[in-house]
Amino acid sequence: MHRPPDHRARWLRSAWARGAAAALAGALPALAFPAPSWWWLAYVALVPWLLLVRSATTNGRAALDGWLGGAGFMLAVHHWLLPSLHVFILVLALLLGALWAPWGLLVRAMLGGAPGAGRCAAALVVLPSGWLMVELARSWEYLGGPWGLLGASQWQLPPALRLASIGGVWLLTLLIVAVNTALAQLIARPPVRLPAVAGLLVCALAGTVAWYWAPAPRPAGTVRIAVVQPGLDGGPEGRLARSEALTRTLAGRGVRLVVWGESSLYQDPADHPELAARLAALSRQTGADLLVNTDATRAGRPGIYKSAVLIGPHGPTGDRYAKMRLVPFGEYIPARSVLGWATQVGKAATTDRKRGTHQVLMPVTTAGGLPIGPLVCFETAFPDMSRRLARDGARVLVAQSSTSTFQNSWAPDQHASLAALRAAETWRPMVHATLTGVSAVYGPRGEPVGERLGTDRSAAAVYDLPLAEGTSPYTRYGDWALHGAMATLVVAGVLVGVRALRRPARALR
């Protein structure tokens, strides 16, 4: 009997069409992040990619599908870097996308062909663990850091934030990939639906249990803080004058801490007495300590540091923190002798910033010695940094940022959303203050507090920040979800190895 041609199969055999499909499928999850913030899409966005990779006829094709999908994802979630890095962002996306090539092999091994119930059940654990290893690898600061971790797309969902307090952003990623894997199985292998349905029920149950029975932070009063966001206009001097004017409007309002954004000063007040005196006068006028941020050299030290500096009524208190994790290409160029050409095709850093050496706590004297933990910009993407500050005794996390280069992109919203996740993970409220927006404040459960200052605002905003007592499970136990994923892959590898050894032995009998 004559069968009609299978156009789908012909399309899948086209290398170019298949490659484009893999890149587009990989890019799809980016819509779950701000600015679209379609958080629900994260739970289905990987399904097309999974179905494509499982159909690969060779391991090489599966690895390529994984690589191109990873490149598509990295390009989509970082697309706002294109005006700054130009063609170099394509090079970076291809380099980082290669991290997903082994995941492509894993998908084909677990879902390819006609897997039985056992392999389908194992896939629900193994594939999320494999994805998490990719996220762990690319979270290394020299590879670009953990921007766009899949779990971070759930920043505004209260049940997800409760799960983050238990296992961090890593636990959310595991859950999301498990749901996608189960849905892909239901589409590809309807006869073997039991493991997939059971997996979906387990994921739903985990979220329900976390929402109703997971521990929660205990309220511990409030502290009044303010964020000063001067806006784009005026250059360094105009920005300083605008920040001073906005800060003066806070006098008499009971504010205990005023936070300025990243690079709010281009001179270090410790080395410029006149500037220190101006800032001290602001502290006295408002009755609050000021947390400013310098992008400047320091006397007796070579190079430029980005530093959070605390100013009290008598000037700099001596409490300061120098940014430790710098933005690749934005604040330094890795292997500049090899990759320095990036400055010729984009807005990559012409001068490498210097790194700080350790995290610090700063007591806010005007708030009774309240210990705050400062982070600078990119560092809010790293869950280990906020967790360490919480373990060391920080009662409030404070991030100073500037995304002025990317004003009309998704970057400001993406960056601000990370503060909600860090607050929920640690049970510590977080202040995200920027020069030009988006500035936002979140309570110890990751809930929004007060108004967000968008990129169109130049304003000072006051917040009654809820404090909390207690130690979150994630702060206490750390990255147990990551360790569990590693153990899962080790066990899976051992089982595969044992089976491979048994086959020759049986053949000899």
Side-chain angles (χ1 to χ4, degrees), residues 55 347 447:
S55 71
K347 300 177 183 178
E447 74 278 16

Side-chain angles (χ1 to χ4, degrees), residues 23 26-27 49 66-76 90 93-98 100:
W49 191 5
W67 182 3
L68 294 176
F73 176 71
M74 295 306 294
L75 184 61
L90 301 176
L94 286 170
L95 289 173
L96 293 173
W100 273 272

Side-chain angles (χ1 to χ4, degrees), residues 115-315:
R119 185 147 53 110
C120 286
L124 295 172
V125 182
V126 172
L127 292 185
S129 298
W131 181 283
L132 206 58
M133 292 305 98
V134 177
E135 289 201 341
L136 177 63
R138 74 178 185 86
S139 293
W140 189 38
E141 59 180 300
Y142 298 104
L143 286 181
W147 192 280
L149 300 182
L150 200 56
S153 64
Q154 307 301 294
W155 64 276
Q156 74 275 54
L157 192 65
L161 292 173
R162 187 70 66 86
L163 278 171
S165 74
I166 299 172
V169 65
W170 314 112
L171 182 58
L172 297 181
T173 291
L174 285 174
L175 180 74
I176 291 169
V177 181
V179 170
N180 277 274
T181 302
L183 293 175
Q185 288 177 351
L186 286 175
I187 295 171
R189 291 287 291 156
V192 192
R193 65 173 63 92
L194 182 58
V197 172
L200 291 173
L201 290 175
V202 168
C203 291
L205 183 63
T208 303
V209 169
W211 178 246
Y212 285 104
W213 287 288
R218 301 185 300 275
T222 62
V223 62
R224 181 163 289 187
I225 62 94
V227 169
V228 168
Q229 181 176 295
L232 270 175
D233 298 334
E237 286 301 321
R239 184 186 306 140
L240 174 58
R242 178 62 177 161
S243 296
E244 288 178 307
L246 290 171
T247 302
R248 291 190 191 99
T249 67
L250 300 171
R253 301 181 65 178
V255 173
R256 294 293 172 255
L257 175 68
V258 179
V259 185
W260 290 10
E262 179 189 18
S263 303
S264 47
L265 301 175
Y266 281 89
Q267 291 180 328
D268 196 311
D271 300 327
H272 294 81
E274 181 180 346
L275 176 59
R278 289 169 63 180
L279 297 173
L282 285 176
S283 176
R284 291 192 299 271
Q285 188 174 356
T286 58
D289 284 0
L290 273 63
L291 187 68
V292 298
N293 191 279
T294 69
D295 188 2
T297 58
R298 290 189 61 191
R301 296 190 180 186
I304 299 174
Y305 291 83
K306 286 196 172 185
S307 301
V309 180
L310 193 63
I311 308 291
H314 305 293

